[in-house]
Amino acid sequence: MSERDGDPRVPLYQNVKSELLRAIAAGEYTPGEPFITQREIRERFGVSNTTAVKALNDLVVDGLLVRRRGKGTFVAEGPRTTRSVEDGADCSIMCVLSLLHDRSPHAARLIRGVEAVCAEHGYRMFLSDTKGDPDLEERALLRAARGGAAGVVLYPVEGRAPLPALEGMRRRGVPMVMVDRYRQDVVADAVVADNFAVGFQLTEHLIAAGHTRIAVLWEETDSTSVRDRLAGHLQALQQHGIRQRREFSVLRPYLGPPAGSRIETVRELLALAEPPTAIMCANGYVLAGAVHDLTSLGVQIPDEIELAGMDDGGPLELPPLTLVSAILPSEEIGRRAMTILARRIADPAGGDVEHVVLPIGVRVRDSSTGHLRVVRTQAPGPV
């Protein structure tokens, strides 16, 4: 790595910091022993002194390094991990969540389930939001492993984040349960919703309502939950003899940068010779974006396009806006995950790895108290 290497969108010190984090997680530096110096960082990564100092300072602020006057910088010593609440001992649980949106109802209910079981067992729960950033996830897991956490509930970030911190947890005997989605390259307990059923059942309802041209709008694209939902959607199409159209189900993010690409995605769908008559939205945030973009383009909902929601979390109440929406067992996911984790804490060697898939619910418009019709309004002209 040099001043010109790495992702140009990421500050160089962050790239250096990430490499140092991975080295700490991999056990290359022993707690209590001197850490790599500023000069060694400059020489190894080919960076300036300012960059080296900034990377080290951030790791000190994060509590992963400590400075000792006259002696140098050292890897922080973590407190001894406690595995039992007997005799007044304190057990802490780290709940590491990848929250792409503030105040997510799905995440809030999941956390509530974890908290309920923690209270039953006398555990303290600490929450760490990684905001979908692999580096923040690795930093949080490293703090959990080195900071004495009795166990971790992990809502993984999208994609294949680096493994050193997870390996560090395994070496230190810190149990972990994944929720919402799981890492296929990591052997760990997991509790998820039946995401295949989400894609399959919503598609079945749309087909029953007469829709054969069904598009899908995603937010994340590289997680087991997304792949399972897509597989369920395609299976339903196949069972009904409906041709899969790549332009309707391609895995590309609808929300997020670049600016302006979101409405262009909708515009492209509407410009097709045979445009969709229904759109399945990955969650309530995607639904809100779709409603805004469709009405901005003059499309009336549900007269011209019906909507379906694969996730009942978001800024809008889904039932009035959607023909059909999935209801995730969010709180039960949290409860079951924490129950498994408590059992692992009590008996680290007990039982095989568990992969729990919980049933989902489906809410259709006919069972709701009412529904909305969304049309574009224009300011009145001069009288």
Side-chain angles (χ1 to χ4, degrees), residues 81-83 90-94 123 144 148-152 173-175 341 345:
T81 302
T82 305
R83 297 291 179 188
D90 176 34
C91 274
S92 61
I93 302 299
M94 178 72 82
Y123 298 152
V152 171
V174 180
L341 187 60
I345 293 170

Side-chain angles (χ1 to χ4, degrees), residues 274-332:
E274 294 183 304
T277 60
I279 295 178
M280 289 172 53
C281 300
N283 56 43
Y285 297 95
V286 172
L287 177 78
V291 169
H292 177 274
D293 293 340
L294 287 167
T295 54
S296 295
L297 295 171
V299 177
Q300 297 185 7
I301 305 168
D303 298 355
E304 296 175 283
I305 284 189
E306 286 277 16
L307 298 176
M310 290 188 275
D311 183 328
D312 55 341
L316 301 178
E317 186 67 25
L318 267 61
L321 289 168
T322 57
L323 174 64
V324 58
S325 59
I327 305 171
L328 301 184
S330 308
E331 187 166 345
E332 183 61 18

Side-chain angles (χ1 to χ4, degrees), residues 16-33:
V16 174
K17 180 180 174 182
S18 295
E19 291 298 320
L20 296 176
L21 270 170
R22 294 186 182 100
I24 294 172
E28 295 179 20
Y29 300 98
T30 305
E33 293 188 359

Side-chain angles (χ1 to χ4, degrees), residues 125-341:
M125 190 195 81
F126 296 91
L127 180 64
S128 179
D129 178 7
T130 65
K131 304 184 186 302
D133 185 332
D135 286 338
L136 291 179
E137 177 180 277
E138 185 153 3
R139 197 182 312 167
L141 293 175
L142 187 59
R143 282 200 302 270
R146 300 186 57 77
V152 171
V153 174
L154 175 64
Y155 188 130
V157 300
E158 179 183 19
R160 292 178 176 269
L163 293 174
L166 293 173
E167 178 61 22
M169 289 176 53
R170 187 193 65 78
R171 288 200 311 270
R172 291 176 172 84
V174 180
M176 174 184 66
V177 181
M178 296 189 186
V179 294
D180 186 81
R181 73 278 301 268
Y182 55 93
R183 290 280 298 267
Q184 294 176 304
D185 55 340
V186 176
V187 178
D189 298 310
V191 182
V192 299
D194 190 345
N195 288 295
F196 182 91
V198 171
F200 185 87
Q201 292 187 31
L202 265 60
T203 304
E204 286 272 293
H205 278 279
L206 290 172
I207 293 172
H211 298 285
T212 59
R213 302 199 303 270
I214 305 168
V216 187
L217 294 178
W218 306 99
E219 180 169 24
E220 295 179 305
T221 59
D222 188 10
S223 71
T224 54
S225 57
V226 168
R227 289 192 290 272
D228 289 347
R229 291 178 184 185
L230 176 59
H233 168 63
L234 298 180
Q235 180 68 25
L237 294 179
Q238 182 180 2
Q239 286 192 8
H240 287 270
I242 299 173
R243 177 172 61 93
Q244 175 191 349
R245 299 178 56 168
R246 185 180 181 278
E247 63 269 28
F248 282 174
S249 58
V250 62
L251 283 173
R252 61 177 176 180
Y254 171 63
L255 298 184
S261 65
R262 195 183 78 185
I263 195 168
E264 285 306 314
T265 297
V266 175
R267 197 190 308 271
E268 290 172 9
L269 289 172
L270 298 178
L272 293 171
E274 294 183 304
T277 60
I279 295 178
M280 289 172 53
C281 300
N283 56 43
Y285 297 95
V286 172
L287 177 78
V291 169
H292 177 274
D293 293 340
L294 287 167
T295 54
S296 295
L297 295 171
V299 177
Q300 297 185 7
I301 305 168
D303 298 355
E304 296 175 283
I305 284 189
E306 286 277 16
L307 298 176
M310 290 188 275
D311 183 328
D312 55 341
L316 301 178
E317 186 67 25
L318 267 61
L321 289 168
T322 57
L323 174 64
V324 58
S325 59
I327 305 171
L328 301 184
S330 308
E331 187 166 345
E332 183 61 18
I333 289 175
R335 291 190 65 91
R336 292 288 290 274
M338 191 57 228
T339 299
I340 293 172
L341 187 60

